[in-house]
Amino acid sequence: RKIIFEKQWFYLDNAIGHIYGTTFEVTSGGNLQLKKDVEESTTETKEAGTDNRNIVDDGRSQKLTHDDIKALKDKGIKGQEIVQQLIENSATFRDKTEFAQDKYIKKKKKKYEAVITIVKPSTRILSTMYYAREPGKINHLRYDTLAQMLTLGNIRAGNKMIVMETCAGLVLGAVMERMGGYGSIIQMYPGGGPVRAATSCFGFPKGFFDNLHEFPLSKMDSLLSGTFSTEALPLEPENSTLLEEESNGLTDEKQTSLQETEQESSHEAAMEINQTEEPETMDINAEDVEFKENKVKENKENVREKQRKQWERRKKLIETAALLREKNADGLIVASKFHPTPLLLSLLEFVAPSRPFVVYCQYKEPLLECYTKLRERGGVVNLKLSETWLRNYQVLPDRSHPKLTMSGGGGYLLSGITVLLDKVKADASNLEALKMEEPSSKRCKVQDVNC
Amino acid sequence: MSFVEYGDTIKDGDTAIVFLGHESMFPVKVQHGTVTQTKYGVIRHSTDLIGKKYGSKVTCSKGGWVFILHPTPELWTMNLPHRTQILYSTDISIITMMLELKPGSIVCESGTGSGSLSHALIRTVAPTGHLYTVEFHQQRAEKAREEFREHGVEHLVTVTNQDVCKNGFGVSNIADAVFLDIPSPWEAIGHAKSALKAEGGRICSFSPCIEQVQRTCLAMEECGFTEINTLEILLRVYNVRTISLQIPDLGKAAEDNSSTGFDSSNPSNQGSPCTNLQQGAVQFKSSVPLKEMVGHTGYLTFATKS
């Protein structure tokens, strides 16, 4: 398969069998070749200048033209050679300071040396990748914010977690990685089915998915109010509208997951793509009666297969509903494009007392409302609204400083711990709410009840 | 209860967290017959704690109440007795993710200090991983061992009392990750490398001073580590408050009431203490940053062993 990534294209075939972390060079044929460690000539005393007072940037320092460089590339000359040529043909190179020379070489190498390293996927790699390349898909959840969620939520092996996310399955994958296949997860999803495009990029063993359940948000209300039907569907053919609904939901899911995976970067070595295709419609020779008969049989089988699958799905739904009804989840993680308040107020019902919960929102204001509503509801302590500030550094001898660009915002978190909800006294909970507030000495003098 | 598994009810011998209110809590060792004093009165362990569900409200002798919470490494970090400066959950979170820790990981740590990070690491690698932690101070090493025993996690951790810069971690070629929080981490890089597994191991060094970071990065490079990357992470906490801002009195034109153009008909409050007429206030919910926030803990440098 041809992989296209950042204007490079290559085949992954030669990579199979090598260990993760191996670095390859892309040859002119698009094949991967092991990169040999070239000793950098650091011991040579380089000719260099002291500052840039005499260097004029007129765009004419490089003698090689675009065409010259292209010709070199077409000849199949290695990237290293091209960089060498560029250095030799640069009129100002030897006037640059050593630092500037280093920077120049690094920049040219990045552009002309086609070197790729294949790494094993992990939360660290996938979350930084998604944030850099597709932040829109993950509601601009920055990787350090995700890290906070996993820790604040005490995500670990053996928990029974409820996860509600619309981050392409990245958050789900991160939770699954930290649970190591132990415990269970119930993923709440909007629409027809959960999106798990990113989850498949982690390369989890199949066993990890045995205890992963899902439940539609659209059935939440009925579950909470007790009107969710626990009857299993009979094995007889149900009304066709239900069938269509289900299959439509499935195709949507397939489509989105296919689209998602197409846009994935080629860094992942273990990517499982669901390539289920639509049942092919064959052109039938009308005179072939036997063939027609077989087709009819096939249709009947298809229908039965669909019904069986539907019955399976219904069965799973009831099982998951039962798991939720136990109301003993060990934690709740919410990271979605929806307003968090209704999600939190309903999903907290399923969490046991003295368990942490974390809600992510790209914006602060919805979390303010969430905070207020939670105070009114009671049953939560240690509420905290926070964000993290992340800064990367360049550390080089005599050249250490924070990097030039910084992420402006990585989203906000609201976290807390559940406690037993004291439903008996209503005014007691208000008192509690006031008690949980910091006694602010600069409280506004005006009466405000809803503080 | 255990720091690596949830329990539902409070048992004799548990470590529980007593939560009194906004950011006010402390750990308590549950024991038959003991009492604990709080500002709301006395809590009798035998009657008030043992057998109750975690998350319960307990009324103390003077009438006030508290909540009893199940311990987690995060709650422990906020409440543990400090024997050294500790790492807080903000740094711990990014360390855990960047070191790619998960159940089954083998981690090496030095120095153990007060055990804040240690508890978090043990939680993450349980039930099949292990933490090898090295502390050169004898009493601190012993106290750490004691705490791990009390918290039911001693099977997941090995505390070694030695100097990591001289004698390493005591293991070789098996660690998935190494963490250093010591004054001279560059002296331990070599030992870290030998403790790490052959390929793909991760290392992290935490240092408050940039000069330490520079030396450490150099040592990492010389030892053949790749993907060397330094960052820092800070936490900003907000308080949620209803704020009321007064509308200024811009004077009044002869008959005109609303010459300011500002919609002062917004919900003004009943009991405005301002003596002037026509002064209302606008209320809104705001997220107010704390007056002071942590400005620096340390630089975190990560790298990969190739």
Side-chain angles (χ1 to χ4, degrees), chain B residues 6-303:
Chain B
Y6 281 119
D8 278 331
T9 42
I10 308 171
K11 295 191 178 62
D12 185 36
D14 279 2
T15 302
I17 307 286
V18 178
F19 184 89
L20 299 114
H22 189 87
E23 302 241 328
S24 170
M25 49 180 147
F26 61 88
V28 77
K29 183 124 168 68
V30 180
Q31 258 175 336
H32 265 300
T34 335
V35 295
T36 301
Q37 294 286 351
T38 76
K39 65 179 183 184
Y40 299 126
V42 165
I43 301 178
R44 287 172 215 290
H45 291 210
S46 311
T47 50
D48 298 326
L49 295 183
I50 300 180
K52 290 265 172 20
K53 276 190 99 169
Y54 276 107
S56 297
K57 188 196 286 189
V58 169
T59 313
C60 310
S61 57
K62 282 198 216 148
W65 67 81
V66 298
F67 284 102
I68 311 296
L69 301 176
H70 195 289
T72 63
E74 287 60 58
L75 286 175
W76 181 249
T77 291
M78 299 307 294
N79 294 298
L80 60 88
H82 285 218
R83 307 182 278 275
T84 59
Q85 172 61 284
I86 66 168
L87 278 183
Y88 288 90
S89 297
T90 314
D91 286 309
I92 293 176
S93 308
I94 191 100
I95 292 168
T96 310
M97 187 177 87
M98 295 302 235
L99 288 182
E100 299 183 348
L101 298 178
K102 52 190 184 239
S105 297
I106 310 285
V107 202
C108 291
E109 166 197 38
S110 188
T112 318
S114 309
S116 170
L117 175 66
S118 316
H119 278 84
L121 295 177
I122 292 171
R123 174 267 314 271
T124 302
V125 306
T128 41
H130 200 88
L131 169 67
Y132 293 94
T133 184
V134 176
E135 170 59 51
F136 66 3
H137 189 280
Q138 206 217 348
Q139 278 90 342
R140 286 205 291 263
E142 205 30 66
K143 189 81 179 101
R145 279 194 199 102
E146 196 187 300
E147 271 176 3
F148 296 140
R149 250 193 315 271
E150 271 181 27
H151 297 161
V153 297
E154 72 273 25
H155 57 293
L156 293 161
V157 56
T158 304
V159 183
T160 310
N161 179 210
Q162 67 193 28
D163 181 350
V164 70
C165 298
K166 298 210 177 67
N167 305 314
F169 291 93
V171 294
S172 17
N173 291 107
I174 57 162
D176 295 296
V178 167
F179 178 79
L180 292 168
D181 180 3
I182 55 178
S184 313
W186 55 91
E187 291 178 14
I189 299 292
H191 288 294
K193 189 176 183 194
S194 61
L196 282 171
K197 61 188 182 186
E199 278 283 339
R202 295 278 293 164
I203 183 172
C204 173
S205 173
F206 176 85
S207 295
C209 304
I210 194 71
E211 296 85 356
Q212 294 170 303
V213 176
Q214 288 176 312
R215 290 217 194 118
T216 309
C217 285
L218 215 54
M220 284 180 180
E221 228 181 308
E222 282 166 7
C223 271
F225 282 94
T226 56
E227 256 189 289
I228 303 172
N229 167 241
T230 304
L231 54 84
E232 74 172 330
I233 185 167
L234 293 174
L235 185 70
R236 269 178 75 82
V237 180
Y238 297 95
N239 278 328
V240 181
R241 295 273 172 273
T242 305
I243 304 294
S244 198
L245 290 182
Q246 272 189 346
I247 297 164
D249 177 16
L250 299 181
K252 205 167 66 142
E255 287 112 30
D256 196 11
N257 275 348
S258 52
S259 52
T260 58
F262 186 85
D263 184 10
S264 55
S265 62
N266 254 349
S268 18
N269 304 296
Q270 314 90 312
S272 171
C274 312
T275 50
N276 281 332
L277 301 161
Q278 281 200 293
Q279 273 189 5
V282 175
Q283 265 199 349
F284 58 93
K285 271 253 182 284
S286 176
S287 55
V288 179
L290 304 180
K291 198 178 107 176
E292 246 185 38
M293 67 174 262
V294 174
H296 179 67
T297 51
Y299 301 101
L300 287 164
T301 305
F302 297 93

Side-chain angles (χ1 to χ4, degrees), chain A residues 181-419:
Chain A
Y182 299 94
S184 61
I185 304 175
I186 303 168
Q187 183 186 8
M188 312 298 296
Y189 63 88
V195 175
R196 293 185 182 155
T199 321
S200 53
C201 297
F202 282 81
F204 293 130
K206 272 200 140 198
F208 274 42
F209 293 87
D210 290 344
N211 280 317
L212 172 61
H213 312 272
E214 51 278 335
F215 195 83
L217 282 179
S218 54
K219 302 266 193 297
M220 271 291 297
D221 226 29
S222 70
L223 189 63
L224 282 171
S225 62
T227 55
F228 182 78
S229 156
T230 45
E231 284 169 25
L233 278 179
L235 277 163
E236 268 71 64
E238 262 289 357
N239 40 10
S240 51
T241 45
L242 189 55
L243 254 175
E244 247 161 56
E245 207 182 275
E246 293 281 1
S247 63
N248 273 340
L250 271 179
T251 32
D252 281 338
E253 178 195 336
K254 269 184 248 164
Q255 292 236 347
T256 28
S257 67
L258 270 173
Q259 268 168 21
E260 299 257 2
T261 46
E262 255 157 40
Q263 289 166 33
E264 291 299 324
S265 135
S266 50
H267 255 145
E268 301 89 319
M271 220 166 65
E272 283 158 48
I273 303 174
N274 228 339
Q275 299 235 329
T276 44
E277 314 232 321
E278 295 292 339
E280 294 175 18
T281 39
M282 299 181 287
D283 285 315
I284 308 170
N285 186 348
E287 283 142 51
D288 197 340
V289 175
E290 191 189 297
F291 195 80
K292 251 196 183 157
E293 268 180 13
N294 285 339
K295 188 78 168 61
V296 169
K297 255 194 232 162
E298 199 180 293
N299 277 337
K300 273 216 183 109
E301 270 169 34
N302 278 345
V303 168
R304 230 177 282 140
E305 186 57 27
K306 273 195 176 145
Q307 281 169 11
R308 193 189 63 81
K309 284 207 173 128
Q310 203 190 329
W311 184 84
E312 285 275 343
R313 272 197 296 276
R314 177 82 192 161
K315 182 159 162 276
K316 278 203 120 199
L317 195 65
I318 294 168
E319 281 168 7
T320 310
L323 285 175
L324 282 169
R325 262 204 221 89
E326 287 173 6
K327 298 202 177 181
N328 62 358
D330 291 319
L332 170 64
I333 301 284
V334 176
S336 75
K337 59 189 181 191
F338 299 107
H339 198 291
T341 311
L343 284 174
L344 206 56
L345 290 178
S346 35
L347 291 175
L348 273 179
E349 296 292 315
F350 302 115
V351 182
S354 191
R355 298 290 184 267
F357 60 90
V358 189
V359 185
Y360 165 82
C361 188
Q362 191 181 347
Y363 309 98
K364 223 193 295 180
E365 289 77 6
L367 291 179
L368 293 182
E369 198 207 280
C370 227
Y371 183 102
T372 312
K373 287 271 159 32
L374 282 178
R375 278 270 168 266
E376 286 170 20
R377 172 191 183 270
V380 294
V381 296
N382 214 23
L383 277 180
K384 192 159 82 166
L385 175 62
S386 65
E387 68 168 328
T388 42
W389 192 83
L390 180 75
R391 207 177 197 186
N392 280 291
Y393 283 76
Q394 164 186 293
V395 178
L396 292 171
D398 296 327
R399 284 161 287 172
S400 302
H401 58 72
K403 288 217 173 128
L404 293 187
T405 54
M406 216 177 117
S407 154
Y412 303 86
L413 291 180
L414 179 66
S415 61
I417 304 179
T418 56
V419 289

Side-chain angles (χ1 to χ4, degrees), chain A residues 1 3-6 10 12 15 20-24 32 115-122 124-130 132-133 201-202 261-271, chain B residues 227:
Chain A
R1 226 168 99 226
I3 310 283
I4 302 174
F5 176 66
E6 275 195 6
F10 47 87
L12 282 175
Y20 285 106
T22 317
T23 308
F24 300 92
L32 293 176
V115 174
I116 60 156
T117 310
I118 302 194
V119 288
K120 192 166 188 195
S122 65
R124 165 179 82 96
I125 296 200
L126 289 170
S127 59
T128 38
M129 194 194 81
Y130 260 97
R133 302 175 76 87
C201 297
F202 282 81
T261 46
E262 255 157 40
Q263 289 166 33
E264 291 299 324
S265 135
S266 50
H267 255 145
E268 301 89 319
M271 220 166 65
Chain B
E227 256 189 289

